[in-house]
Amino acid sequence: MTLLITAVVLLTVVVAVHLLFTFGLVARIRELSELQQHGGGSHAVNTHLPRPGTVVRPFSVTGTDGAAITEADLDGPVQVGFFQVGCGPCRMLSDALVTAPPTARFVSIVDGDPAAPDATAQLVAKLGALGRVAVIGVDDPVLTAFEVVAFPTLLHTHSGVVTASGTRLDDFADEPGAPAQVA
């Protein structure tokens, strides 16, 4: 009799755990299905990007022109690009931006490499053609202000609020002031 009770209890626990996993799987499938229906599109959703509606927190960083860049400079439509020296995708995005510059104001934040000052200077010079540039170090507070955790990150802001985010130019096809698409 004890053996039968133990078997029933064990079977109940196994069924309950199985049900929990099943509910979790169903919830995840629904979430992925909604993402695909509402903007997931043909490429994967990057969960490391700031979401539209994110308010940029106060920050101050010194531009290469010596003047401060702050959240007050995001007073209209402004695109902000985050680049890292030595990052292949950053180089491809910066090349694409220089080829098809955005019509909105553009601010570039470059995570410089003290060990490669020439590479940092080259990236700053290239991005300088687009607008203002600031060079930062690792874990600079400006990254926290924008909630940026990966490079490259390209943001479209309006009055200090993120309206779009992405890592490629085609992520901004519907945004005013977006760069033209390069064929």
Side-chain angles (χ1 to χ4, degrees):
M1 185 70 164
T2 306
L3 183 60
L4 183 60
I5 292 173
T6 304
V8 168
V9 168
L10 183 61
L11 185 59
T12 302
V13 169
V14 168
V15 168
V17 168
H18 186 271
L19 277 173
L20 286 174
F21 282 127
T22 301
F23 288 134
L25 181 61
V26 168
R28 181 65 177 151
I29 289 172
R30 284 183 181 161
E31 179 183 324
L32 291 174
S33 177
E34 285 180 22
L35 284 174
Q36 188 171 11
Q37 289 175 357
H38 303 294
S42 61
H43 57 278
V45 174
N46 190 337
T47 58
H48 298 295
L49 293 170
R51 296 194 183 278
T54 301
V55 176
V56 178
R57 289 180 250 165
F59 71 93
S60 180
V61 63
T62 303
T64 54
D65 59 2
I69 300 172
T70 69
E71 70 280 357
D73 294 314
L74 307 178
D75 58 347
V78 180
Q79 287 191 325
V80 184
F82 292 84
F83 304 91
Q84 187 174 51
V85 174
C87 163
C90 297
R91 182 178 32 79
M92 292 183 342
L93 180 59
S94 64
D95 289 344
L97 283 165
V98 168
T99 301
T103 57
R105 283 185 295 149
F106 198 87
V107 175
S108 299
I109 308 294
V110 175
D111 182 7
D113 184 356
D118 291 340
T120 301
Q122 286 176 349
L123 183 57
V124 167
K126 182 193 318 183
L127 294 171
L130 300 173
R132 297 190 65 197
V133 180
V135 179
I136 61 168
V138 177
D139 297 328
D140 192 279
V142 74
L143 298 173
T144 304
F146 283 92
E147 297 184 14
V148 170
V149 296
F151 296 98
T153 296
L154 191 58
L155 304 175
H156 190 277
T157 66
H158 195 281
S159 300
V161 178
V162 175
T163 58
S165 61
T167 58
R168 305 177 314 183
L169 291 184
D170 63 350
D171 294 332
F172 298 91
D174 298 330
E175 289 297 316
Q181 296 299 307
V182 180

